[in-house]
Amino acid sequence: MGWWQISTDTLAGSRFVVSPLAETVASLRTLERAVAAHPRERAWLERWLPAYRSRQSEEPLSARIVRAALTPRWSADFLTPAPVPPPAGQEPDTFAQELARVRATPPERARADLAVALRRPLPAALDRDDLAGRSADVLEWVWTRAVEPEWPARRRVLEADVVARAAQLSRGGWAQALDGMRPGMRWLGESRLQINTYDNPPRELDGAQMVFTPVTADVGWVCWDISHRYGVVYPCAGALADTGRAPVPQALGALIGPARAGVLVLLASPLSTTQLTALTGQGLGSVGRHLRVLLDAGLVRRRRDGRSVLYFRTAAGDGLVRAAG
């Protein structure tokens, strides 16, 4: 199995980072494998897969590079750089800034990374200097057409997952927060984090920074800028990924108001006020007022979970949502 040796200082300085580039790479992986993990992703895939396949058929060399870079077991490192946490008080990197790092990959490194992903020497057709540039063009196409238009909604879902992970971390520490974050990943004890089940040599992360990045697709990977930054990209909680764009029945919106109905629909899974704020885009005060009305009406209940208060629908709330379609 592959595992990382992580010092206390490295773990204490770890950060959660939302990355538009990681979300775009995850979306590219979804397009490549053409399999959806939940209804929202299925609708997105049905909309964009034909256009993506058309684009790749017109650019067969780019299509071959992407397939080589995103193998089932390994991703070419130049395509998946570790996200850079922003300094305190500053905004995180934009997609353009992150993509510039991919484009700036030296040709010799891109060729070496691709050979590692393929686990064999590069075929002559891929022994080129424009591997990074062509890969970046594909990522830019996916971002511009299929991700950027819905990025605000996706970002709210990802931010809600970060909030949930932070709450889990405060309750149970890093061992609880890391176990099950992605398939094959678990805390082994003695400062060891298993990152996958592959037979890879361990890595020593002493003095490096760790970043954890959620994506809405059901994919994940590890990445690094050896030896100063290591990252884990993981699929965000399934309930959040599936309900981030949950439709509000028109009849329900007419009955109790569309904003309040949106809160009730999301509470099919227990959520905190902070998560609801991130998912709905409403202010904390507005969400609180909606929750009070729903509590008084017996449509939701609440329970304490560590330092958080989670809200969830009652049977009456479930019945109202179902009856409204």
Side-chain angles (χ1 to χ4, degrees):
M1 62 185 174
W3 54 274
W4 292 347
Q5 189 80 36
I6 304 173
S7 70
T8 303
D9 289 342
T10 295
L11 204 55
S14 299
R15 297 273 300 277
F16 285 89
V17 181
V18 172
S19 164
L21 177 63
E23 180 70 7
T24 304
V25 173
S27 297
L28 176 60
R29 280 187 168 275
T30 300
L31 289 166
E32 279 291 311
R33 67 180 185 174
V35 175
H38 47 74
R40 184 206 62 80
E41 190 171 75
R42 187 176 305 114
W44 178 87
L45 190 61
E46 289 173 353
R47 179 181 181 186
W48 290 109
L49 184 58
Y52 175 73
R53 285 178 168 170
S54 176
R55 193 264 182 206
Q56 295 299 77
S57 67
E58 295 170 1
E59 297 281 350
L61 179 58
S62 295
R64 185 172 180 181
I65 293 171
V66 169
R67 287 196 301 270
L70 299 178
T71 66
R73 178 166 175 170
W74 199 268
S75 299
D77 289 349
F78 74 88
L79 199 64
T80 58
V84 180
Q90 295 188 22
E91 293 294 317
D93 286 347
T94 64
F95 174 78
Q97 290 171 316
E98 291 188 300
L99 188 67
R101 296 173 61 194
V102 177
R103 288 195 186 278
T105 305
E108 60 276 11
R109 183 194 156 188
R111 287 193 292 268
D113 288 351
L114 205 61
V116 171
L118 288 171
R119 302 171 69 185
R120 59 184 172 85
L122 280 184
L126 299 182
D127 190 4
R128 309 168 54 92
D129 288 347
D130 60 351
L131 298 175
R134 284 181 174 272
S135 300
D137 288 344
V138 176
L139 287 171
E140 189 168 27
W141 186 95
V142 174
W143 164 260
T144 302
R145 288 162 177 77
V147 178
E148 186 179 21
E150 56 185 58
W151 175 241
R154 290 193 186 207
R155 184 177 60 227
R156 287 196 296 270
V157 172
L158 299 173
E159 289 170 348
D161 183 87
V162 170
V163 169
R165 298 285 176 179
Q168 191 178 32
L169 178 61
S170 68
R171 294 193 303 270
W174 279 106
Q176 182 175 327
L178 295 177
D179 278 353
M181 181 178 279
R182 57 183 297 267
M185 182 168 160
R186 64 190 181 96
W187 186 251
L188 299 174
E190 298 180 351
S191 300
R192 296 176 302 159
L193 174 64
Q194 178 182 314
I195 58 168
N196 55 44
T197 56
Y198 301 146
D199 187 19
N200 295 326
R203 289 181 179 268
E204 172 64 57
L205 271 62
D206 189 29
Q209 181 182 43
M210 283 196 70
V211 293
F212 298 94
T213 300
V215 292
T216 61
D218 187 27
V219 297
W221 61 88
V222 294
C223 48
W224 43 66
D225 293 325
I226 301 172
S227 58
H228 59 283
R229 185 176 297 110
Y230 290 79
V232 175
V233 177
Y234 65 92
C236 71
L240 293 178
D242 198 7
T243 61
R245 294 175 61 85
V248 176
Q250 186 175 1
L252 183 62
L255 179 65
I256 63 175
R260 188 167 298 149
V263 172
L264 184 61
V265 168
L266 284 169
L267 289 178
S269 299
L271 296 170
S272 68
T273 53
T274 307
Q275 290 173 308
L276 286 166
T277 299
L279 286 170
T280 63
Q282 302 177 42
L284 185 60
S286 297
V287 169
R289 287 190 292 273
H290 295 321
L291 288 171
R292 281 195 296 272
V293 172
L294 295 171
L295 281 166
D296 290 344
L299 300 177
V300 303
R301 290 179 182 164
R302 62 187 173 190
R303 62 177 171 83
R304 181 165 292 279
D305 185 14
R307 297 182 181 179
S308 299
V309 176
L310 300 179
Y311 295 82
F312 55 95
R313 286 202 309 249
T314 62
D318 288 338
L320 182 59
V321 172
R322 284 196 302 269

